[in-house]
């Protein structure tokens, strides 16, 4: 398995531009998480999905941020318009309850991240 | 979820055991202890987890005190590739809870010295 795949790995854009980050979770995983990491705030959960449905988006900073999961193998995190304070590394992670469908091991599988710089 | 306290940084000689402590004095009975690590420029990586018994896998060992108020992650033979930030997280093993699924905190920055 290729693991969680994120693109782009690096993005440099100017303030006001739209940014779209993409994530392909591990096949068969039914939970998908978007995290943001900065030096000041560490790793923050933005939103997570279960079976393509957003479950908790309380971590999304403001209306400029939106996330979608149109199918089980693809998710996007969009920032429109982008601002310099959005500069961070954005991680996508996936997980599953496993074959038993019961006890969750707590293992999140993270992608390599997308480093966003907004000038 | 219970909060955890970890030293901000530690050094370890290559080939020696690295013992990373974590205090979680307010842990409740149904909360597990999880350890993740983050190597520079990579996403966090799951290491191990446990409830009250000591656990071992191919990466590390987890020792949890009898009162469960603290734990130690042991890397038996540290290598340079183990240099990373190590996060100790305490929470219930459920994906059904809303809110912050994993509060990673600031972790311990482990440097393995040649």
């Amino acid at each position: 398995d290729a693991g969680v795949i994120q693109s782009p790995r690096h993005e440099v854009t100017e303030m006001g531009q739209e940014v779209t980050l993409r994530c392909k979770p591990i096949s068969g995983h039914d939970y998908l998480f978007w995290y943001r990491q900065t030096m000041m705030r560490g790793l923050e959960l933005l939103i997570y999905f279960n079976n393509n449905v957003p479950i908790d988006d309380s971590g999304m900073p403001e209306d400029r941020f939106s996330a979608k999961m149109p199918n089980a193998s693809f998710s996007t995190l969009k920032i429109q318009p982008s601002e310099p304070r959005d500069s961070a590394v954005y991680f996508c992670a996936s997980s599953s309850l496993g074959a038993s469908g019961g006890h969750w091991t707590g293992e999140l599988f993270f992608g390599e991240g997308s480093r966003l710089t907004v000038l | 979820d219970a909060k955890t306290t970890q030293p901000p940084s530690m050094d370890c000689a290559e080939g020696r055991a690295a013992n990373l402590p974590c205090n979680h004095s307010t842990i409740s009975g149904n909360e597990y202890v999880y350890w993740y690590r983050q190597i520079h420029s990579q996403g966090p990586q799951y290491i191990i987890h446990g409830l009250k018994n000591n656990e071992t896998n191919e990466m590390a060992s987890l020792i949890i005190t009898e009162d469960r108020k603290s734990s130690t992650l042991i890397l038996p033979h540290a290598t340079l590739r183990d240099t990373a930030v190590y996060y100790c997280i305490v929470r219930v093993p459920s994906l059904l809870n809303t809110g912050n699924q994993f509060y990673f905190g600031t972790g311990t920055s482990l440097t393995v010295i040649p």
Side-chain angles (χ1 to χ4, degrees):
Chain A
D1 197 321
V4 175
I5 300 172
Q6 293 187 243
S7 64
R9 289 296 311 278
H10 302 275
E11 173 94 7
V12 180
T13 190
E14 293 187 346
M15 183 173 63
Q17 295 298 306
E18 178 180 294
V19 173
T20 299
L21 307 178
R22 299 171 178 80
C23 176
K24 175 179 169 55
I26 292 173
S27 177
H29 282 188
D30 48 3
Y31 286 84
L32 184 140
F33 305 80
W34 281 101
Y35 280 85
R36 177 174 67 175
Q37 185 172 35
T38 61
M39 288 292 292
M40 292 294 293
R41 301 175 67 90
L43 267 163
E44 302 174 278
L45 176 68
L46 301 177
I47 185 172
Y48 79 97
F49 296 82
N50 176 222
N51 291 324
N52 314 336
V53 176
I55 302 299
D56 185 355
D57 65 355
S58 59
M60 296 286 263
E62 49 197 274
D63 292 345
R64 297 185 298 107
F65 285 69
S66 63
K68 295 181 179 179
M69 193 165 185
N71 57 62
S73 59
F74 184 66
S75 177
T76 60
L77 178 67
K78 185 175 294 187
I79 308 172
Q80 166 63 12
S82 59
E83 297 182 2
R85 58 187 169 135
D86 302 330
S87 298
V89 181
Y90 291 82
F91 288 103
C92 176
S94 69
S95 190
S96 173
L97 286 176
S100 67
H103 174 75
W104 180 48
T105 63
E107 186 168 4
L108 295 175
F109 295 82
F110 282 81
E112 294 292 314
S114 294
R115 180 175 294 277
L116 173 65
T117 302
V118 184
L119 303 175
Chain B
D1 295 337
K3 288 196 172 182
T4 61
T5 303
Q6 300 178 253
S9 63
M10 293 181 63
D11 292 338
C12 177
E14 187 178 17
R16 304 296 294 270
N19 297 286
L20 294 98
C22 180
N23 286 321
H24 32 79
S25 58
T26 59
I27 191 171
S28 60
N30 61 346
E31 289 181 316
Y32 282 63
V33 180
Y34 295 86
W35 283 84
Y36 277 73
R37 74 179 182 183
Q38 187 173 22
I39 296 170
H40 182 62
S41 298
Q42 297 183 18
Q45 176 190 25
Y46 166 85
I47 301 173
I48 198 168
H49 77 284
L51 180 62
K52 54 184 177 180
N53 298 321
N54 297 338
E55 302 287 344
T56 296
N57 62 20
E58 63 279 5
M59 291 182 67
S61 294
L62 174 61
I63 308 298
I64 302 174
T65 58
E66 192 169 342
D67 63 8
R68 303 210 321 122
K69 293 185 177 182
S70 65
S71 60
T72 301
L73 179 74
I74 301 173
L75 308 178
H77 305 287
T79 69
L80 299 179
R81 288 178 295 180
D82 292 323
T83 293
V85 177
Y86 288 78
Y87 299 98
C88 170
I89 302 157
V90 172
R91 64 157 289 119
V92 294
S94 171
L95 280 169
L96 299 179
N97 291 342
T98 58
N100 215 347
Q101 286 295 314
F102 272 96
Y103 176 67
F104 280 82
T106 54
T108 296
S109 179
L110 174 70
T111 301
V112 180
I113 302 169

